Amino acid sequence: MQEHLTTVPLSRLLESEANVRKGVLDENQVRSLAATIATHGLLYPLLVTEVAPKGRSKKTGYAVAAGRRRFAALRLLRDEGKIDADSAVTVRIVADENAAELSAVENTHQPMHPADEYEAFRRMVDEGAGVETVAAHFGVSVAVVQRRLKLANVAPALIAIYREGDMSLEQLMALTVSDDHAAQEQVWHGARYRAPESLRRALLGETSIDSDSLLATFVGREAYLAAGGREQVDLFADHGAHWIDGALAHQLAEARLAQQADTIRAEEGWAWAVALVQPDYATVNAYGRAPRAWRDATEAEQAAMDALDERQEAIEAQMEALELSDDEGADEAYQRLSDELEGIYTERNEREAALETVADKTNVGVIVALRSHGVEVIRGVIRPEDRKAAAKAARAQARGPAAASDGGNTDRLPAMPEKLVRALTAHRTAALQAMLMENHHVALAGLAFTLVTDLAREVYYRCKSGVEVSAKSVAYSMHLADPSVEQSRAWQQIDAARAAWSERLPGEQDALWAHLLAMPQDELIALLAHCTALTVDGIQSRCGAHCTDALAQAVNLDMADWWSATPDAYLSRVRKADVLQAVSEAVSPAEAVPLASMKKGPMVEAAGRLLEGKRWVPPLLRQRAA
């Protein structure tokens, strides 16, 4: 059969098995091609083979061997009512035996280089076609045309390098943040490392920040521009723009924080106040913490916190149900509950912080800092230069009547819900008991400390060591705080030790006394250490230092040996900000960035995988100075 060009009705075109393009067609590409055909017509004919009439049909069909996307675009135009079902389509009729080969030949032709497309768009706009017109003719959005025009505006010498394959598209996109061709070429040729972000940073300046960064969000775009800040639009960045004057944004943030810090200082009577913008941990930790105490909550305050805890539990249950739901609107409802939960965390922490007091505020101040989770107010801090004076005052206070307290929370840690504090410190208590059973010397020292300070009150003020001489086991208290503690390695070790001693000791009281009298001294010491360890009670209701810290320090307790920040144990029970903080500290801030946009459930699962084996523990479980 002789090949020839002709036109056939669209309705008589069919799919062909000879067409080598078998994959799923890209819907956006088909729509773009349809827009081009609607504007310019079908520029290239379809390759077809004749199909004999079947059944009652007396009309020849035509199977499309090459031009599957064009065929799909024509059908899309028909479905949208832009062309008729029997519109004439230009085709080239080929023999059946040549169809597969010709289809392969057509589909292996290389498309034009992307740079050609960028420059074609620019030429059309330069010749008078509007951006909207170009977008409509090619079936793409205005934003796509604007991006391609931006790429076409890179220095010609650099476009040539891109054409040769010595520059990636990502690198070319990075260079578009500046319209200065000389600067683009200087950065490209002078760069030691040509990572896209390095090129972008070199053109923008080292102090530039993204418009959606924590600092920019806190300052606000209007305030930044009003202060003379410069902004550079980036069509290839999700955040859309860069702030060139990062130092100015820092100054504006510091001024806003300083105003808030001065207000708190005046209202609460602190000696000084300081504002810190995105300080690192070393900067914050350079400040000491003043000794502080906790007052009892009033009935109204306790009722308010109890109500918050109840609402938190209810929200968490609803969010868990929504994560498994496929209902329309579940995502929106989940986000709304997540936002409410964040507010509850914040209010709960603020109410708990209000119960904290510092007896002597001389040389003691407040820090208002912009940190990764937002604005944080740190009360009761001591500047490095005031540490000696504060320590001297603390020693003088310790010699006075005021020192006869329980030595409670003297070191402020990040606040968290009471239920979680009790759960985490239950695991810490189990681990501490397990270690004390193996360290007879420290266990007996703790017992002696408690006996001596209790029996010689005329010499020593009463200060708990964590050992309760009444010999009351705290196993049930640990179970109430967190039933999962019974699955921990520490609990299993304690249980095994308890069972071993039960087998060695007689069951009757009279026989026990005789058995103990006859027991070798080293075994008796081991038994005393075992019993002493079982009395240790380190369960806390709020974050802070505790009387068991000295015991933990003496046995060198490292909770990373006994506990892991798994989704069930920790990650699902704290705020999203705390999950991100954990990943940032244990892995890297960069690894935490993708998690920020996730729902709580997937975020927790991803964070759990990242934290696995990293031995990270929250501040509450870290060893604290006694």
Side-chain angles (χ1 to χ4, degrees):
M1 182 183 69
Q2 186 176 3
E3 298 181 3
H4 63 281
L5 285 176
T6 186
T7 60
V8 300
L10 174 60
S11 59
R12 292 167 67 181
L13 293 176
L14 310 168
E15 294 281 359
S16 172
E17 288 297 324
N19 198 320
V20 299
R21 190 185 291 273
K22 303 293 186 183
V24 177
L25 295 177
D26 186 302
E27 183 179 346
N28 291 329
Q29 290 182 352
V30 172
R31 286 195 170 277
S32 176
L33 184 56
T36 302
I37 294 174
T39 303
H40 304 288
L42 187 63
L43 300 181
Y44 301 100
L46 307 181
L47 295 186
V48 301
T49 58
E50 291 184 341
V51 179
K54 293 182 180 180
R56 296 181 179 179
S57 175
K58 296 181 179 181
K59 297 180 179 179
T60 301
Y62 299 91
V64 179
R68 185 172 169 224
R69 280 187 300 179
R70 280 165 279 165
F71 184 26
L74 289 168
R75 284 180 292 178
L76 177 62
L77 292 173
R78 177 201 63 195
D79 294 343
E80 293 179 345
K82 295 179 180 178
I83 61 175
D84 296 332
D86 290 323
S87 293
V89 178
T90 304
V91 299
R92 177 185 172 192
I93 301 176
V94 299
D96 290 348
E97 60 270 20
N98 297 332
E101 179 182 352
L102 293 174
S103 177
V105 170
E106 177 168 318
N107 281 288
T108 55
H109 287 172
Q110 291 294 322
M112 67 178 179
H113 194 281
D116 295 330
E117 183 180 350
Y118 309 153
E119 293 181 348
F121 276 41
R122 184 182 63 180
R123 187 161 53 250
M124 293 173 63
V125 172
D126 289 345
E127 291 173 356
V131 172
E132 293 80 4
T133 301
V134 175
H137 284 186
F138 286 88
V140 296
S141 67
V142 170
V144 168
V145 176
Q146 290 173 333
R147 292 190 187 104
R148 291 173 182 174
L149 293 174
K150 194 71 173 175
L151 291 167
N153 198 39
V154 172
L158 298 178
I159 290 287
I161 294 175
Y162 172 57
R163 285 179 179 278
E164 293 168 4
D166 295 328
M167 179 190 297
S168 69
L169 176 60
E170 288 73 21
Q171 290 171 321
L172 185 68
M173 289 160 58
L175 293 171
T176 65
V177 295
S178 172
D179 294 328
D180 187 335
H181 288 182
Q184 291 172 353
E185 293 186 36
Q186 181 179 358
V187 165
W188 175 260
H189 294 297
R192 184 175 180 182
Y193 302 104
R194 289 173 174 166
E197 188 56 36
S198 299
L199 296 173
R200 187 177 288 108
R201 187 65 57 196
L203 286 167
L204 292 170
E206 290 299 325
T207 64
S208 65
I209 61 175
D210 295 341
S211 62
D212 66 345
S213 65
L214 174 67
L215 180 58
T217 302
F218 178 71
V219 171
R221 182 171 181 269
E222 291 184 6
Y224 171 74
L225 296 178
R230 295 171 296 158
E231 186 178 55
Q232 174 63 51
V233 174
D234 188 345
L235 296 178
F236 300 98
D238 291 337
H239 49 79
H242 303 277
W243 287 10
I244 306 299
D245 304 306
L248 173 61
H250 190 284
Q251 293 172 7
L252 294 173
E254 190 172 41
R256 182 176 169 188
L257 292 170
Q259 185 177 12
Q260 184 177 348
D262 287 339
T263 300
I264 295 174
R265 177 192 57 76
E267 292 178 349
E268 300 180 11
W270 299 104
W272 53 268
V274 67
L276 300 177
V277 179
Q278 295 180 294
D280 55 27
Y281 285 97
T283 299
V284 175
N285 291 337
Y287 289 83
R289 300 295 187 270
R292 63 199 74 185
W294 294 85
R295 65 174 176 83
D296 293 333
T298 64
E299 289 187 8
E301 288 172 332
Q302 189 60 53
M305 289 191 287
D306 290 344
L308 288 173
D309 291 341
E310 291 177 5
R311 179 57 182 155
Q312 176 186 331
E313 291 185 6
I315 289 177
E316 288 173 344
Q318 293 178 56
M319 291 175 67
E320 185 175 347
L322 286 171
E323 286 187 356
L324 303 175
S325 173
D326 295 328
D327 294 345
E328 186 176 350
D331 289 350
E332 184 178 347
Y334 184 97
Q335 187 59 51
R336 185 170 61 253
L337 289 172
S338 179
D339 293 340
E340 184 180 352
L341 190 60
E342 290 289 320
I344 287 176
Y345 280 132
T346 301
E347 184 178 351
R348 186 65 166 79
N349 291 343
E350 289 174 351
R351 287 185 176 276
E352 189 168 291
L355 303 178
E356 186 182 41
T357 63
V358 174
D360 183 6
K361 293 184 177 179
T362 305
N363 295 327
V364 180
V366 59
I367 295 173
V368 177
L370 178 63
R371 306 188 75 176
S372 59
H373 52 276
V375 177
E376 180 180 356
V377 179
I378 310 173
R379 295 175 172 85
V381 288
I382 302 170
R383 291 176 294 202
E385 60 267 29
D386 295 330
R387 278 181 177 270
K388 290 185 178 180
K392 183 177 180 180
R395 287 193 296 270
Q397 184 181 8
R399 290 191 291 269
S405 68
D406 65 358
N409 300 308
T410 59
D411 192 16
R412 180 66 170 162
L413 295 174
M416 59 178 62
E418 178 180 342
K419 185 176 180 180
L420 180 57
V421 173
R422 293 183 64 81
L424 294 180
T425 52
H427 283 270
R428 180 176 181 269
T429 298
L432 186 54
Q433 288 186 2
M435 293 194 72
L436 278 176
M437 288 178 182
E438 303 295 329
N439 196 321
H440 302 165
H441 182 78
V442 175
L444 294 181
L447 176 61
F449 181 89
T450 301
L451 290 171
V452 170
T453 58
D454 198 30
L455 297 174
R457 294 186 181 181
E458 70 279 6
V459 179
Y460 304 99
Y461 65 84
R462 187 73 167 92
C463 181
K464 288 186 177 182
S465 67
V467 175
E468 301 294 334
V469 184
S470 62
K472 175 185 176 182
S473 172
V474 296
Y476 185 60
S477 297
M478 287 190 285
H479 168 81
L480 289 180
D482 187 3
S484 71
V485 71
E486 297 180 9
Q487 310 304 319
S488 68
R489 180 168 67 88
W491 185 281
Q492 301 301 324
Q493 188 168 317
I494 294 168
D495 248 7
R498 186 187 291 112
W501 278 110
S502 295
E503 291 181 4
R504 294 175 61 182
L505 298 175
E508 298 180 0
Q509 187 168 323
D510 290 344
L512 175 63
W513 174 244
H515 186 88
L516 293 176
L517 286 176
M519 185 179 285
Q521 183 173 324
D522 58 340
E523 291 186 27
L524 188 60
I525 288 174
L527 177 59
L528 281 173
H530 172 82
C531 295
T532 301
L534 291 176
T535 71
V536 172
D537 187 356
I539 300 175
Q540 301 172 224
S541 297
R542 52 175 68 95
C543 295
H546 194 263
C547 53
T548 55
D549 290 346
L551 288 173
Q553 189 175 26
V555 298
N556 196 26
L557 174 64
D558 185 349
M559 281 303 296
D561 295 333
W562 302 91
W563 180 92
S564 298
T566 63
D568 290 338
Y570 180 76
L571 299 172
S572 64
R573 306 168 74 174
V574 296
R575 303 176 303 170
K576 293 174 69 173
D578 297 322
V579 175
L580 296 175
Q581 186 67 30
V583 174
S584 295
E585 291 183 9
V587 189
S588 72
E591 290 286 353
V593 171
L595 275 61
S597 59
M598 295 182 181
K599 279 187 176 181
K600 180 72 177 291
M603 169 194 277
V604 164
E605 292 178 7
R609 291 191 293 270
L610 289 171
L611 291 178
E612 189 173 350
K614 294 296 189 293
R615 295 177 60 82
W616 180 90
V617 297
L620 179 63
L621 296 185
R622 297 171 191 172
Q623 191 174 117
R624 302 185 289 270

